[in-house]
């Protein structure tokens, strides 16, 4: 993607560029909130607040260029998270702050769920193509929740070997997903 | 934070054992780096059992794995065999083409075979046709042989050389019809030669056993062409 051209499209209010931005950062913001705020059943309002603030800031010329998009969104997400903790006992009225310059009617939670489902399917297919030993290691580590040392004992290999194989398998999967632009 | 540092902290982040001082750097990094975020998502999906892991290979894949080298070898073998057959067929076709060549029957100006030819109106046309024939311009010769003068003359020698011209221009049906007529009429002037050159029609048609039978028929006769026919039989047998 030509970052600067993308930024120019965003500045011009191109709906397609806004959609691309949301698709890129929605999963990241979800992961951030999910790991930061426990016990919350839906982060949709918070995610919406982040995008709302982002487009508002963009409109006010707070972004200098394409390089600043990710740090800017991260900064907003962090602020939204702190605000959440600050007013978690109060009723928040985020809906009133929704930015009117951009269409934010999509369901972020549903998008996140579909996103995860798609990734799960892609992963299953790619894992099946791995050598059996790699599948055994991933299965033991993630599904049986065993530690590297236990897997080493189980497979009769050294912990270093198991660890390296696991990382290489993940790297291979990541490279394949990136190469085919599957996710 | 560098990408390799990030990869090393994914498990700690998801397990919430990451140091607080590193946590924010980690989060800032995955906001900016697509590859690292993908790594995080893969780990997260696996931890949440969002993907399935089948430890046993499906049977058909196993079979294919075993059969693949065998199939490759079989394909290679077939390729070699096919190439060898093609080469052999080409060589055989070349030999057959060589065998189907023949020396043109000679014609001497003024030669007469059989009964004396009465009418002389065709002589000039015939001489001209035979000049073309000797120059191997068979198409020009055929123009004259098929012309009204020589067609009407009903000359055995014109018919015979016309058939040879057909043979040389690969008009095998035309040649065969004339040779058959000569053989059927038992015309002694060109009978042996018609039998002999009919064998070449069969060779050019690629009908080797029938060509051999044709030459064998002539070889068994008391004929000046019998020796040449035997030569042809020997060549066919060597093929």
């Amino acid at each position: 993607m030509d970052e600067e051209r993308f930024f120019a499209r965003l500045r011009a209010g191109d709906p397609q560029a806004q959609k691309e931005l949301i698709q890129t950062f929605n999963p990241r913001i979800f992961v951030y909130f999910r790991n930061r705020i426990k016990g919350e059943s839906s982060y949709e309002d918070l995610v919406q607040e982040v995008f709302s603030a982002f487009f508002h800031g963009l409109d006010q010329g707070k972004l200098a260029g394409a390089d600043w998009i990710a740090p800017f969104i991260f900064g907003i997400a962090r602020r939204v998270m702190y605000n959440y903790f600050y007013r978690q006992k109060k009723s928040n009225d985020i809906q009133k702050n929704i930015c009117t310059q951009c269409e934010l009617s999509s369901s972020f939670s549903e998008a996140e769920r579909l996103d995860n489902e798609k990734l799960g399917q892609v992963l299953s297919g790619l894992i099946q193509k791995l050598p059996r030993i790699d599948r055994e290691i991933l299965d033991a580590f993630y599904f049986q929740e065993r530690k590297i040392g236990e897997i080493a004992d189980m497979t009769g290999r050294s912990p270093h070997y198991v660890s390296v194989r696991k990382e290489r398998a993940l790297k291979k999967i990541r490279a394949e997903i990136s190469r085919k632009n599957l996710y | 934070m560098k990408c390799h540092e990030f990869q090393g902290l994914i498990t700690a982040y998801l397990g919430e054992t990451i140091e607080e001082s590193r946590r924010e750097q980690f989060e800032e990094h995955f906001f900016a780096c697509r590859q690292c975020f993908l790594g995080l998502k893969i780990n997260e999906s696996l931890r949440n059992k969002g993907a399935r892991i089948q430890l046993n290979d499906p049977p058909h894949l196993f079979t294919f794995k075993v059969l693949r080298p065998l199939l490759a070898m079989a394909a290679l073998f077939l390729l070699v065999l096919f190439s060898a057959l093609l080469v052999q067929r080409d060589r055989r076709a070349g030999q057959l083409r060589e065998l189907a060549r023949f020396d043109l029957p000679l014609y001497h100006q003024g030669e007469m075979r059989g009964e004396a030819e009465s009418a002389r109106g065709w002589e000039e046309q015939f001489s001209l046709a035979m000049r073309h024939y000797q120059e191997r311009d068979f198409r020009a010769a055929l123009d004259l042989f098929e012309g009204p003068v020589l067609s009407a003359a009903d000359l055995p020698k014109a018919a015979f050389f016309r058939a040879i011209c057909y043979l040389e221009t690969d008009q095998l049906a035309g040649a065969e019809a004339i040779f058959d007529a000569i053989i059927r009429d038992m015309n002694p002037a060109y009978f042996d030669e018609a039998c002999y050159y009919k064998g070449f029609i069969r060779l050019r048609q690629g009908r080797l056993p029938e060509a051999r039978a044709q030459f064998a028929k002539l070889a068994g006769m008391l004929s000046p062409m019998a020796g040449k026919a035997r030569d042809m039989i020997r060549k066919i047998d060597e093929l």
Side-chain angles (χ1 to χ4, degrees), chain B residues 148-190:
Chain B
V149 178
L150 290 177
S151 293
D154 192 25
L155 286 167
K157 64 181 176 185
F160 175 74
F161 285 107
R162 182 177 172 179
I164 296 294
C165 288
Y166 282 143
L167 191 52
E168 280 291 5
T169 52
D170 274 334
Q171 299 177 64
L172 301 182
E176 189 171 1
I178 294 174
F179 288 144
D180 280 346
I182 293 171
I183 293 166
R184 193 175 51 245
D185 294 347
M186 300 279 284
N187 186 332
Y190 292 100

Side-chain angles (χ1 to χ4, degrees), chain A residues 167 171 174, chain B residues 1-10 22 26 29 33 36:
Chain A
E167 290 309 318
K171 197 173 172 184
R174 202 171 65 228
Chain B
M1 181 176 280
K2 303 281 183 204
C3 292
H4 68 91
E5 288 177 77
F6 181 94
Q7 295 299 327
L9 289 170
I10 288 176
R22 306 285 279 159
F26 183 91
H29 185 85
C33 179
C36 286

Side-chain angles (χ1 to χ4, degrees), chain A residues 7-71:
Chain A
F7 183 65
R9 283 168 58 211
L10 268 181
R11 287 287 299 271
D14 177 357
Q16 186 56 35
Q18 290 173 350
K19 196 175 165 190
E20 282 174 37
L21 181 110
I22 290 169
Q23 277 175 348
T24 304
F25 285 98
N26 186 42
R28 298 178 199 193
I29 299 167
F30 257 94
V31 169
Y32 177 73
F33 286 143
R34 198 185 302 124
N35 282 279
R36 283 288 188 167
I37 307 169
K38 302 292 173 186
E40 178 66 60
S41 58
S42 168
Y43 308 100
E44 186 140 356
D45 290 344
L46 302 178
V47 175
Q48 198 155 348
E49 191 178 348
V50 172
F51 283 120
S52 171
F54 173 82
F55 287 113
H56 188 66
L58 182 71
D59 200 42
Q60 289 186 329
K62 286 184 180 172
L63 262 84
D67 291 345
W68 290 95
I69 293 175

Side-chain angles (χ1 to χ4, degrees), chain B residues 34-143:
Chain B
R34 183 178 174 270
Q35 279 292 307
C36 286
F37 180 66
L38 182 57
L40 175 65
K41 283 292 286 183
I42 290 169
N43 269 274
E44 191 189 40
S45 182
L46 288 169
R47 281 176 77 98
N48 296 337
K49 299 170 182 52
R52 280 176 292 106
I53 299 181
Q54 286 182 349
L55 293 179
N56 294 324
D57 291 315
H60 71 278
L61 282 179
F62 173 76
T63 310
F64 186 64
K65 212 181 249 182
V66 172
L67 280 179
R68 196 159 54 178
L70 291 176
L71 286 171
M73 281 176 66
L76 190 68
F77 174 74
L78 284 174
L79 189 72
V80 169
L81 188 69
F82 186 66
S83 306
L85 284 173
L86 272 182
V87 168
Q88 196 183 11
R89 204 187 68 167
D90 279 358
R91 205 177 57 192
R92 193 178 162 80
Q95 286 172 333
L96 199 60
R97 266 198 306 276
E98 192 59 37
L99 194 64
R101 279 195 194 146
F102 56 86
D103 294 329
L104 283 179
L106 295 176
Y107 171 72
H108 303 289
Q109 188 68 29
E111 85 169 29
M112 283 195 299
R113 299 191 199 179
E115 293 170 9
E117 291 132 351
S118 48
R120 309 297 288 181
W122 43 262
E123 201 169 55
E124 193 182 336
Q125 289 274 301
F126 183 75
S127 297
L128 190 56
M130 291 314 289
R131 202 173 305 144
H132 290 311
Y133 171 86
Q134 280 161 342
E135 288 164 0
R136 304 188 67 84
D137 186 356
F138 301 108
R139 301 228 175 252
L142 276 173
D143 283 344

